[in-house]
Amino acid sequence: MAALTLREVLDLDPVRASEPVLLAGEGALDRPVRWVHSSEVYEGANFLDGGELLLTNGFGLTDADEETRRRYVRELAARGAAGLAVEVGRSLPHMPAEVVDEARRLGLPLLAMHRVVPFVRITEAANRAIVARGLSGRSVVRPWGDDHTAALLADLADRAALNQPEVEARSALAGFHPGPGARLIGVSVHGTRETGAVDRAVRLLGGAGVLRAAFPGDVLALITLPGRGSGAGDPIRAVQEAFRAAADPGLTVAVGHAVDAGSGWLRWSDTLRAARTTLELALTVPAAEPSVPDGPLVTSARALALERELTRGGVDTNRDRLARLVQHTLGPLLAWEAAHPSDLVRTLEVHLRHGCSPTRTAALLHIGRQSLYQRLERIESLLGLEIDDPDLLGELLAAACAHRVVRGMGTAQVRGLRTVA
């Protein structure tokens, strides 16, 4: 059976409710749609593997110049996107003429959605239809496979309308049986279209139970480990260490929270969503510390807890607040760094994150302790305060973290994108 086409996606009720108007790509409506992608962090072409319909609320186009907008469309077309659907009327008053022109030139279907419909309703309806179409084409003698698992993981990650008996039945159908007291941990892996890294990590964890499937942009997994009191130690650290050993160089792995398997499907959803949000932050915000050379980047929701709190509600929404926090707290350091080659803000953050330990900070920054002391003296002199003052630790660490978030936004804009967490 043929794959779901863009024309058929446009005929779905939630899509029609958005009052879409086709502005370009009339001749490409019968191209297949592999997935409908929407995210709180807009990575544009970076998250696409080809065949996706990308939904955006227009944040990434609002303040961009003409060439940046054209480049955005070109990148989507180059990655084989099935189409671009943009919400107009709120963040974006109208569709920019250069976006329409570039889409027409490239034959990329471009939709202007004139009525607000939650993207989760559109992605849920479309991706259910895509998965159902794929399953309906299977021979009845073939077992349920990754398509069924992918559908369940997508529903959990998107917090679709589910109930506990349905989740348990669909999990059992996929061979996933969390035992009494088990802990569940969501994982999201970027940089591969295969589930091999997850499978290898699960083997290192002693054959833990797992639901996993590859999606356009990342691999999602839900891993089960023994519960509290089993002597297994910290489950988050165990999962991170397994992926550090199992994942290939260049991959980015984000680990969600540990939740009780018996706490209900909403908690299952929470850990998957935390993993995805953490992955998006890890891909857009520079890391606080140097990464392991020639290894994967493995992080967790708790490791990026401060970044998540600072960007709650969206990076763009918090842009001005974060900029004011950075300037108010770290202004003298930024002015010094603008005039002198130095690394004072990063030194400050690493030092604070490691309990103001000179030995640990110097080792992480790969500098001698005497060089570190000179940097710390410079920081205190410029700020006019003692950085180990307990009353200042929270503000200084938050400001240093906010500085990285702002830098990440700047990098995204240079690429023609805007990050919204």
Side-chain angles (χ1 to χ4, degrees):
M1 183 172 291
L4 203 71
T5 66
L6 182 56
R7 190 187 304 276
E8 290 173 307
V9 170
L10 298 183
D11 199 44
L12 295 171
D13 288 341
V15 180
R16 291 196 300 173
S18 70
E19 298 180 2
V21 175
L22 185 65
L23 302 178
E26 295 85 354
L29 290 180
D30 292 318
R31 63 174 52 174
V33 178
R34 294 177 54 246
W35 204 252
V36 178
H37 180 62
S38 171
S39 175
E40 295 175 352
V41 174
Y42 294 110
E43 288 297 320
N46 292 343
F47 262 133
L48 303 184
D49 291 324
E52 299 91 348
L53 173 62
L54 180 65
L55 310 179
T56 172
N57 57 15
F59 277 135
L61 301 173
T62 304
D63 296 328
D65 58 32
E66 177 179 341
E67 176 53 32
T68 295
R69 290 168 173 168
R70 288 183 180 275
R71 185 169 64 249
Y72 176 73
V73 177
R74 289 198 298 269
E75 289 176 351
L76 294 179
R79 292 299 292 266
L84 172 65
V86 184
E87 180 186 287
V88 296
R90 290 199 302 175
S91 301
L92 190 69
H94 56 83
M95 189 74 74
E98 55 269 23
V99 172
V100 178
D101 179 67
E102 198 70 18
R104 287 176 177 169
R105 187 180 69 82
L106 297 169
L108 178 71
L110 174 66
L111 293 163
M113 299 183 294
H114 292 279
R115 184 177 177 185
V116 176
V117 174
F119 284 166
V120 65
R121 288 180 52 194
I122 296 175
T123 57
E124 176 188 346
N127 292 334
R128 279 179 184 272
I130 289 169
V131 171
R133 175 67 62 86
L135 291 175
S136 65
R138 291 171 177 258
S139 167
V140 295
V141 300
R142 294 184 63 182
W144 290 88
D146 282 347
D147 283 346
H148 174 68
T149 302
L152 176 55
L153 287 169
D155 284 347
L156 288 170
D158 292 336
R159 192 162 285 180
L162 300 170
N163 58 61
Q164 193 63 28
E166 177 187 358
V167 171
E168 291 175 355
R170 292 171 67 183
S171 297
L173 187 61
F176 187 64
H177 305 277
R183 305 277 278 168
L184 298 182
I185 300 172
V187 176
S188 188
V189 183
H190 179 76
T192 180
R193 302 179 185 182
E194 306 295 336
T195 61
V198 174
D199 295 336
R200 291 191 297 272
V202 167
R203 286 195 293 271
L204 290 174
L205 290 166
V210 63
L211 278 174
R212 88 285 189 274
F215 293 84
D218 63 355
V219 173
L220 268 183
L222 195 60
I223 296 174
T224 177
L225 291 177
R228 296 186 181 94
S230 63
D234 181 355
I236 301 297
R237 186 171 296 279
V239 171
Q240 285 186 263
E241 291 304 320
F243 275 97
R244 287 192 178 103
D248 295 327
L251 297 188
T252 303
V253 181
V255 179
H257 308 298
V259 302
D260 291 329
S263 60
W265 75 268
L266 283 173
R267 296 290 288 150
W268 296 26
S269 173
D270 284 344
T271 186
L272 283 170
R273 291 167 68 87
R276 268 198 160 171
T277 302
T278 301
L279 177 69
E280 292 164 343
L281 284 171
L283 292 171
T284 55
V285 177
E289 299 170 6
S291 59
V292 177
D294 302 322
L297 171 60
V298 182
T299 188
S300 67
R302 65 187 182 190
L304 295 185
L306 186 52
E307 289 86 342
R308 287 162 55 84
E309 287 302 316
L310 289 173
T311 57
R312 187 174 296 277
V315 171
D316 196 77
T317 302
N318 290 282
R319 175 187 298 271
D320 292 340
R321 180 179 65 86
L322 295 179
R324 287 195 299 271
L325 171 63
V326 172
Q327 189 59 41
H328 170 75
T329 309
L330 304 176
L333 295 189
L334 298 178
W336 176 269
E337 289 192 339
H340 306 83
S342 57
D343 202 12
L344 299 184
V345 176
R346 186 187 191 202
T347 298
L348 174 62
E349 183 173 10
V350 173
H351 193 58
L352 294 175
R353 283 180 175 272
H354 291 273
C356 297
S357 166
T359 301
R360 183 64 175 154
T361 303
L364 287 168
L365 295 175
H366 304 292
I367 61 175
R369 290 185 55 155
Q370 190 59 41
S371 296
L372 173 63
Y373 289 138
Q374 292 173 355
R375 289 189 189 183
L376 296 178
E377 289 175 2
R378 176 71 66 183
I379 292 170
E380 292 187 333
S381 174
L382 290 169
L383 295 181
L385 48 79
E386 296 180 1
I387 59 177
D388 58 355
D389 183 342
D391 291 340
L392 295 170
L393 295 181
E395 181 180 13
L396 289 173
L397 184 54
C401 181
H403 178 56
R404 282 189 294 107
V405 173
V406 172
R407 282 170 52 210
M409 288 193 299
T411 301
Q413 284 187 299
V414 168
R415 294 198 306 264
L417 308 170
R418 179 179 297 178
T419 301
V420 182

